[in-house]
Amino acid sequence: MEDKKKILSIKDIAAISGVSIATVSRILNKKGRYSPETEKKVLAIVNSYGYVPNQTGKSLREARSHTIGLIVPNITNAFFSCLAYEIETYLFEKNYSVFICNSGNTAEKEIDYFRTLAGKCVDGILCISALDRIPEDITARQIPIVCIDRQPKAAVPLPWIGNDGKNASCSATSHLLDKGCRHILFITSYLDSYNRLDRRAGYEQALKEHGFFVDKNYILERSGTEPTPIEVEILISQFLQTRLPLDGIIAASESAALGAMYALQRNGISVPADVRIVCFDNTMYSLLVSPPLSSIERHPQKIARQGSDLLLDLIEGKTTGEMSITIPMELIERESSR
């Protein structure tokens, strides 16, 4: 009886199954030119012995590692974790493994991850960046990079896929204005060094288009010193102490909206009777609170799959880096803004 604890080579599998090494290789790599019966026999032996291909040798032969780096700002964020899940699942179907790197929205940590991933010889990188500019030593390595959601500057054109945050924020603010809101707060995200504030610009554009003055007192900027709900709860509580009128809130994330709701409830302010709220991301958390949150749907599955396809095309040399893909967003109206 064969020792099933032995680590087999392709040569061993060929000898046990009675076929050539070339046939075993074609079956393992799904290259065709073998019968179903032969495939069944070889795979039965492979599964029985728990054979694992030598990926190092394969990578050297193909000049590919079949690995992708994914840099995310905060893996605990529901939208980013959804994106990471969709990307990992989709790329696994394409025979790629994914290294998920959590930058913590910190520029220095993200740069370290870029260099670490380059050292691991990944075939490409998907990045939701905290950087305002990607360093030239990163882009000079000629590793295919696709930016998701945010568009940092770079010495060479980098492909991007995401949403039109400015237009979505403008639509959300207009929605509240159409509901009769006249004193609308905007709560920013924490972005570290990244400084293209599209959602804030959309909020300001909507106010101006409706003939309202942009009051900086109604823009609450997060510092990132506390978890989002806690920090926003503190910011809203401090704002309420100013006694400035308030009847609407645009929150850059669901967690920010939750913090705002906590603060309003503690101060006896009703949503939506007194203050209407709209947020971004539309994950399950928008439905788990009372009242349910009106939220901007960003379609993370589309972003993940099309972004992954774009990166794979770059790896295969099927496209250049000068490309942008915008995934449309839509406002899902629920009780928090009715």
Side-chain angles (χ1 to χ4, degrees):
M1 184 176 179
E2 297 288 343
D3 181 7
K4 292 188 179 182
K5 293 183 179 179
K6 179 183 177 182
I7 299 176
L8 297 188
S9 66
I10 289 182
K11 183 178 179 180
D12 295 325
I13 295 173
I16 295 168
S17 59
V19 300
S20 69
I21 294 173
T23 298
V24 174
S25 178
R26 288 198 299 272
I27 291 171
L28 293 176
N29 292 290
K30 301 179 181 179
K31 298 293 187 180
R33 291 186 293 157
Y34 49 79
S35 70
E37 293 77 14
T38 301
E39 179 184 28
K40 184 177 180 181
K41 179 169 63 173
V42 170
L43 291 181
I45 294 169
V46 167
N47 293 330
S48 177
Y49 283 85
Y51 170 77
V52 177
N54 185 332
Q55 292 296 334
T56 300
K58 183 177 180 181
S59 296
L60 289 172
R61 289 192 302 274
E62 298 181 355
R64 296 271 178 83
S65 66
H66 287 274
T67 58
I68 299 294
L70 171 61
I71 301 176
V72 297
N74 182 356
I75 200 64
T76 65
N77 176 287
F79 179 75
F80 294 144
S81 63
C82 180
L83 264 181
Y85 172 80
E86 295 290 348
I87 288 169
E88 188 279 332
T89 300
Y90 186 64
L91 287 174
F92 182 80
E93 296 172 357
K94 303 291 184 180
N95 297 316
Y96 280 85
S97 298
V98 179
F99 292 119
I100 300 177
C101 306
N102 180 50
S103 73
N105 255 320
T106 304
E108 293 78 9
K109 190 174 181 181
E110 181 180 329
I111 292 171
D112 285 343
Y113 270 134
F114 267 119
R115 291 168 180 161
T116 298
L117 291 170
K120 291 184 179 296
C121 298
V122 295
D123 293 333
I125 297 174
L126 293 164
C127 179
I128 307 168
S129 186
L131 300 172
D132 189 54
R133 184 180 184 86
I134 295 179
E136 290 188 25
D137 72 287
I138 302 298
T139 54
R141 297 172 188 264
Q142 297 185 328
I143 299 172
I145 298 173
V146 171
C147 295
I148 297 176
D149 188 38
R150 304 170 188 172
Q151 291 181 282
K153 300 171 186 175
V156 296
L158 294 178
W160 169 87
I161 183 167
N163 309 116
D164 185 346
K166 181 178 179 180
N167 183 61
S169 185
C170 183
S171 296
T173 306
S174 296
H175 168 72
L176 291 185
L177 290 167
D178 291 342
K179 293 289 185 178
C181 298
R182 294 296 179 263
H183 307 284
I184 302 171
L185 269 178
F186 179 79
I187 305 170
T188 71
S189 297
Y190 172 64
L191 297 174
D192 195 18
S193 68
Y194 186 82
N195 62 16
R196 276 174 291 286
L197 306 176
D198 296 342
R199 296 180 188 178
R200 174 171 169 173
Y203 159 79
E204 294 181 355
Q205 177 181 320
L207 290 178
K208 292 174 182 177
E209 288 179 351
H210 285 76
F212 292 96
F213 173 71
V214 177
D215 187 342
K216 302 302 182 183
N217 291 313
Y218 282 81
I219 298 175
L220 303 186
E221 297 185 354
R222 287 194 54 226
S223 64
T225 55
E226 298 282 352
T228 305
I230 296 174
E231 185 173 19
V232 172
E233 183 177 3
I234 293 170
L235 288 172
I236 294 292
S237 296
Q238 292 172 342
F239 176 85
L240 293 174
Q241 292 174 9
T242 67
R243 304 292 182 180
L244 290 170
L246 174 65
D247 55 17
I249 295 175
I250 301 292
S253 67
E254 287 168 318
S255 53
L258 293 177
M261 291 180 74
Y262 297 153
L264 294 174
Q265 290 169 358
R266 284 198 302 105
N267 285 273
I269 298 172
S270 175
V271 177
D274 301 318
V275 175
R276 290 181 167 91
I277 298 178
V278 177
C279 65
F280 279 75
D281 296 347
N282 194 41
T283 74
M284 64 178 179
Y285 294 105
S286 288
L287 296 170
L288 295 179
V289 294
S290 181
L293 289 164
S294 293
S295 192
I296 301 292
E297 171 58 59
R298 301 177 63 191
H299 301 292
Q301 185 180 62
K302 291 181 180 179
I303 295 173
R305 289 178 175 255
Q306 292 188 38
S308 297
D309 282 339
L310 178 54
L311 183 63
L312 295 179
D313 284 346
L314 286 170
I315 292 169
E316 297 287 343
K318 296 177 181 178
T319 186
T320 66
E322 300 183 39
M323 182 178 296
S324 293
I325 301 173
T326 301
I327 305 297
M329 291 192 276
E330 57 185 310
L331 172 63
I332 308 300
E333 183 180 352
R334 299 191 180 98
E335 291 179 30
S336 72
S337 69
R338 286 178 179 163

